[in-house]
Amino acid sequence: MTFAPESFRDNVSQALKDQQLRQNIKGATDYFAANRQRTVAADEHFEQLREQGRLIKQRCLAKLPELLEQLEHKLTANGIKVHWAQTTEQANETIAQLLAQHGATRAVKGKSMVSEETELNDHLNARGVETLETDMGEYIVQLEHERPSHILAPAIHKNKVEVAQIFDKHIEGLGYTEDVDALILAARHVMRDKFKQADVGITGVNFAVAQTGTLCLVENEGNGRMCSTVPDLHIAITGIEKVVESLSDIPPLLSLLTRSATGQVLSTYFNMISHPRKSGEKDGPKAVHLVLLDNGRSDAFGDEAFRQTLQCIRCSACMNHCPVYRRVGGHAYGTVYPGPIGQILTPHMQGLDKTQDLPTASTLCGSCAEVCPVKIPIPQLLLRLRMFAQMPDKDEKPVVAGQGAGRKSAEAFIWWLWRYFHQSGRRYRLLTYMLTKMRWALPRVIKPWTDSRELPTVAKMTLHQRVKQRQRQQGAKR
């Protein structure tokens, strides 16, 4: 598959032919969905919790500029240096410069979708920095030079046999084994050595608390804690929407995240990072930096409806319940954020000129909105993006970059004709009369409509003609 949203339709055709891929995706998403359902069913207050989470995120987004300034002030006071990046290129270059300043040539990474968004690994590798993913799923796809296909489980498209083959090929001395414990132990041995040798640890951030200047990292494997404590230099990277106002906002959001993502009541690790290593402390990094990335988020923030996109806490529940994602997998979307959330988030990052097909890849069944822990109205936002894809930009600044990219002159002309004939009863009757008389000359194939549908056949007579004929026949009988 081609990893680009412009190739979405071709990617889908390939994915639908891959029975093993579809089986892997279905089995894993069924597992996550069942875990979530079991945990949610046991919590009679879950709907109230969802509403609380929605209100927290909306309140924090309403204060976003103010909270970001407060976050920078508190982090700086705590000894953590803050860097701002408007684009992915700026974020990558900032991190590369920090590594150069510290003479760092070996990096270990905790799970971070934002670093995938910036393609940080490629950027650092090109500058001679050895970069190792330490999340198990990320490690698997890195060995195969692939992209993550899921926000929560990057290697969701691989089954046990495929992982065993990958490890056998890439981990020297392991040999082929399908024993899951043995596979995990082998990866652990590789990573432990890399943790000891690393000059820098790079992680994402789940929540950044403005009032205290605290970076919160949620995980299950412990690799995030190793990345953020063992190397002398810790660099965190996150989107500007991850900021929350106070520590009291965290428990409801954390509870929603773990229940919706894995079906856990609480994750195994919850890391709170507020400062570098202090005098007298025995562990922790000597320097901590935070890179705050925009990359189209401000554009989404500027529109009242699309601002709801930024409520996302990256639980991936929408993907696990989406009938489209469950059949084609994450790589088909050609984006870092696949599935329903990616369909409404990516257009703000890459523009509708590149992503116009993504908002159409939905049945609008509403499953994503029903399971979203912070109640993002994804189907309504998808419809709005479809509208903007067809709507030429008449303002100096479009609501979405690439606005109107899906509008075709031939299609626009057809709709103009449709409006013209439907504005007048006389013109409408003339059109339908002509169609009945010229039905033999009408095309039987109209791409892409007829790729999956039969073109309706024009009747020999219009409804008006049938009614008049029946009236004449009844009159003649009398």
Side-chain angles (χ1 to χ4, degrees), residues 149-401:
S149 61
H150 191 273
I151 291 175
L152 175 69
I156 195 174
H157 56 293
K158 302 290 187 185
N159 60 26
K160 180 174 66 174
V161 173
E162 291 168 314
V163 173
Q165 293 169 347
I166 293 170
F167 278 31
D168 179 37
K169 181 169 62 173
H170 293 285
I171 300 181
E172 187 177 353
L174 173 62
Y176 182 85
T177 176
E178 295 179 15
D179 183 271
V180 175
D181 291 337
L183 293 171
I184 293 175
L185 185 60
R188 182 182 297 168
H189 284 316
V190 172
M191 293 175 191
R192 288 286 171 171
D193 288 338
K194 295 297 183 181
F195 283 131
K196 296 174 184 177
Q197 301 166 7
D199 306 306
V200 57
I202 302 173
T203 70
V205 176
N206 291 94
F207 309 106
V209 184
Q211 287 184 1
T212 60
T214 304
L215 307 180
C216 302
L217 184 61
V218 183
E219 54 158 335
N220 277 322
E221 297 177 14
N223 61 305
R225 181 164 295 182
M226 296 287 283
C227 289
S228 61
T229 57
V230 176
D232 285 339
L233 173 63
H234 173 214
I235 300 175
I237 179 171
T238 192
I240 58 174
E241 79 280 16
K242 295 296 184 67
V243 64
V244 296
E245 189 168 9
S246 67
L247 285 173
S248 62
D249 293 328
I250 297 296
L253 294 175
L254 176 61
S255 183
L256 286 167
L257 173 60
T258 56
R259 283 169 165 81
S260 301
T262 57
Q264 294 172 274
V265 176
L266 189 64
S267 62
T268 308
Y269 296 90
F270 183 77
N271 306 289
M272 301 175 71
I273 302 160
S274 297
H275 52 75
R277 185 193 307 180
K278 293 182 178 180
S279 177
E281 292 181 338
K282 296 183 178 180
D283 61 9
K286 296 178 180 178
V288 180
H289 296 259
L290 172 67
V291 178
L292 287 165
L293 177 66
D294 188 326
N295 193 29
R297 290 165 172 83
S298 290
D299 292 336
F301 175 80
D303 182 87
E304 187 174 348
F306 287 135
R307 184 180 299 179
Q308 297 172 97
T309 304
L310 303 180
Q311 293 173 202
C312 177
I313 57 176
R314 304 293 191 270
C315 70
S316 74
C318 61
M319 300 163 62
N320 298 332
H321 292 78
C322 175
V324 177
Y325 176 90
R326 283 164 53 84
R327 283 160 180 78
V328 302
H331 288 157
Y333 293 82
T335 64
V336 172
Y337 303 102
I341 186 58
Q343 291 169 261
I344 61 173
L345 181 60
T346 308
H348 298 283
M349 298 177 174
Q350 299 189 27
L352 279 169
D353 49 335
K354 295 181 180 179
T355 62
Q356 58 183 282
D357 286 334
L358 296 185
T360 67
S362 172
T363 63
L364 300 177
C365 65
S367 295
C368 50
E370 289 181 10
V371 299
C372 177
V374 287
K375 297 187 175 182
I376 301 174
I378 297 177
Q380 288 89 330
L381 297 180
L382 286 172
L383 287 173
R384 199 156 190 266
L385 284 169
R386 293 181 187 183
M387 177 186 70
F388 280 108
Q390 301 294 328
M391 182 186 298
D393 175 29
K394 297 181 180 179
D395 303 318
E396 292 183 4
K397 182 174 176 57
V399 176
V400 186

Side-chain angles (χ1 to χ4, degrees), residues 389-449:
Q390 301 294 328
M391 182 186 298
D393 175 29
K394 297 181 180 179
D395 303 318
E396 292 183 4
K397 182 174 176 57
V399 176
V400 186
Q403 188 172 315
R407 186 176 180 85
K408 298 178 176 61
S409 55
E411 185 177 348
F413 177 69
I414 290 171
W415 282 115
W416 179 87
L417 282 178
W418 184 91
R419 182 178 64 179
Y420 173 79
F421 282 105
H422 282 72
Q423 284 177 330
S424 164
R426 180 177 297 179
R427 289 197 294 263
Y428 176 78
R429 286 190 293 273
L430 174 63
L431 173 66
T432 54
Y433 175 78
M434 291 174 60
L435 288 174
T436 59
K437 296 302 181 184
M438 299 292 292
R439 58 196 297 270
W440 56 271
L442 296 175
R444 299 304 308 151
V445 175
I446 299 179
K447 296 286 186 176
W449 178 269

